[in-house]
Amino acid sequence: MTSERRVALVTGAAGGIGRAVASRLRDDGLDVLAVDLRPDPQGPGTAFQADLTTREGNAGAVAAALERFGRLDVVVANAGIQHVAPIRDFPEERWDQILALLLTSPFLLAKHAWSALAERGDGHFVAIASAHALVASPYKAAYVSAKHGVLGLVRTLALEGGEAGILATAVCPGFVRTPLVESQVADQAKAHGVDPERVLDDVILQPHAVKRLIEPEEVAATVAFLIGPGGRAFTGVPVTMDLGWTAR
Ligand SMILES: NC(=O)c1ccc[n+]([C@@H]2O[C@H](COP(=O)([O-])OP(=O)(O)OC[C@H]3O[C@@H](n4cnc5c(N)ncnc54)[C@H](O)[C@@H]3O)[C@@H](O)[C@H]2O)c1
């Protein structure tokens, strides 16, 4: 049976930002398929397990949303990982994995969801990119490359989706308070040669003009805005929310 409510597929929905997005969209009245490598059955939305570094994982997630809800209106490509290392030591298998999850997965999700997104003339594709889609930082070669790439993908989707009413945007936050950031502290300390206790202030918050972490709920509110009536003029653009990082 086809849901009467809008349906969103959110990836990385068991993690920091994805969970907040799934929760916000559910509270706003959407049916949510909450996709993750390690899904949380207690989390917001309908939990679905998929490894999004694989082609089958991405095709399977879109198929599951359509099978369960009969429609798909919003895709939020959010799942992500990080690896911090100087280029000469950067593990090649981590490069492959990061590119697969941060760039190829959004491409595959868009490809498989495209007809469903076009069906009602108001589909939305939102990538959770990063300020790193716009600027670089040392020791994050794979992440920065993939995030720049996903902005290119979003711009392309916006052009291809215009006539079908599909809007595509890339949310570009600065540092957000999530496990992904917390797990970087030890590696950042090593790569930058600073005390782990100083990493938050001296490395992570250094590029923010406003010295705080962004909360996952703030990113979720931006996604909710973009897929709502106020977001109808936004397509093919980075939606930057980085506390002044890229102003310099
Ligand atoms: N935290 C930040 O500061 C920040 C800033 C800008 C952008 N982002 C982006 O936001 C997104 C979410 O990041 P987060 O900070 O919430 O991370 P997180 O580590 O809290 O959550 C990521 C989620 O992705 C899932 N995941 C990992 N590998 C997967 C796979 N192969 N298949 C399916 N799911 C997988 C994890 O299980 C986890 O639940 C990422 O794309 C990240 O690059 C984060």
Side-chain angles (χ1 to χ4, degrees):
M1 217 179 65
T2 301
S3 175
E4 284 176 13
R5 291 139 49 108
R6 286 204 293 169
V7 173
L9 185 165
V10 180
T11 73
I17 295 172
R19 181 180 292 261
V21 170
S23 174
R24 172 64 192 259
L25 298 191
R26 181 204 54 190
D27 293 350
D28 285 356
L30 282 80
D31 283 323
V32 175
L33 190 76
V35 182
D36 206 284
L37 185 61
R38 287 175 288 275
D40 178 3
Q42 315 309 326
T46 302
F48 182 79
Q49 199 279 334
D51 180 354
L52 298 169
T53 62
T54 68
R55 289 185 185 169
E56 310 75 57
N58 287 281
V62 173
L66 292 172
E67 199 171 298
R68 179 159 185 114
F69 300 113
R71 61 188 279 187
L72 185 52
D73 303 85
V74 177
V75 172
V76 183
N78 162 79
I81 48 174
Q82 177 60 281
H83 191 89
V84 180
I87 191 79
R88 64 171 177 272
D89 303 328
F90 208 97
E92 292 169 29
E93 62 282 3
R94 288 293 274 170
W95 170 276
D96 289 343
Q97 198 185 13
I98 289 173
L99 269 284
L101 187 60
L102 270 56
L103 182 55
T104 308
S105 168
F107 156 70
L108 291 169
L109 293 168
K111 175 182 158 78
H112 294 300
W114 203 247
S115 302
L117 293 179
E119 208 161 291
R120 287 173 178 76
D122 65 348
H124 289 270
F125 183 92
V126 182
I128 306 302
S130 166
H132 279 123
L134 303 164
V135 292
S137 294
Y139 316 129
K140 295 185 174 178
Y143 188 87
V144 170
S145 303
K147 293 297 188 185
H148 275 63
V150 84
L151 178 55
L153 173 69
V154 158
R155 287 178 165 141
T156 308
L157 298 180
L159 298 183
E160 290 192 30
E163 221 159 282
I166 300 173
L167 305 181
T169 45
V171 177
C172 296
F175 285 102
V176 184
R177 191 189 309 280
T178 73
L180 184 131
V181 166
E182 281 150 18
S183 68
Q184 280 177 49
V185 169
D187 289 343
Q188 290 274 29
K190 195 169 147 213
H192 288 269
V194 300
D195 193 309
E197 306 227 317
R198 299 294 316 157
V199 165
L200 185 63
D201 288 341
D202 293 357
V203 180
I204 294 180
L205 293 182
Q206 192 276 329
H208 286 189
V210 179
K211 303 293 181 192
R212 70 169 178 89
L213 289 171
I214 298 164
E215 300 301 329
E217 293 71 24
E218 297 180 78
V219 183
T222 301
V223 174
F225 165 77
L226 288 170
I227 68 159
R232 282 166 60 189
F234 288 75
T235 195
V237 286
V239 180
T240 309
M241 46 179 302
D242 65 1
L243 294 171
W245 178 341
T246 56
R248 65 186 80 239

